[in-house]
Amino acid sequence: MFNRLTLEVFSPYTYTMRAREVNRKIERAGGVHTRTVGSHKRYEVTVKGVTASTSVPQHPGDIPTGTLYKIQKDLAPALGRKWLL
């Protein structure tokens, strides 16, 4: 949704996180670091027989909001829809 008065975009994904924070959240949720390819860490999560995997970029600075959305969407089958928030 877009607010014309303040020219802001309202979305649950407007926050930013660093790669370290995302790694920590995935590992606390039961994720296992399976491998590293270049500057990306690959994680697998298995909960109640459902396995999901994603890759987290390890670049300096914040992870873009679209990439955060993709990481959350990749692991949603195992962890639920809003696990990253």
Side-chain angles (χ1 to χ4, degrees):
M1 182 188 325
F2 184 73
N3 184 347
R4 291 182 191 198
L5 297 176
T6 59
L7 302 176
E8 294 177 354
V9 176
F10 295 105
S11 168
Y13 305 106
T14 55
Y15 62 94
T16 58
M17 296 177 80
R18 299 207 179 263
R20 230 180 251 170
E21 297 172 49
V22 176
N23 295 340
R24 199 173 304 130
K25 284 192 174 203
I26 292 173
E27 289 170 1
R28 284 185 185 158
V32 178
H33 175 231
T34 54
R35 67 179 191 255
T36 301
V37 179
S39 62
H40 291 70
K41 285 188 178 181
R42 187 85 174 156
Y43 284 95
E44 252 184 39
V45 180
T46 303
V47 176
K48 297 181 184 176
V50 178
T51 301
S53 61
T54 192
S55 145
V56 180
Q58 302 299 307
H59 307 296
D62 294 331
I63 296 177
T65 55
T67 307
L68 285 174
Y69 175 73
K70 177 67 171 140
I71 292 168
Q72 181 171 325
K73 189 176 169 186
D74 286 344
L75 297 180
L79 298 177
R81 196 165 160 240
K82 300 272 184 176
W83 69 270
L84 189 58
L85 295 177

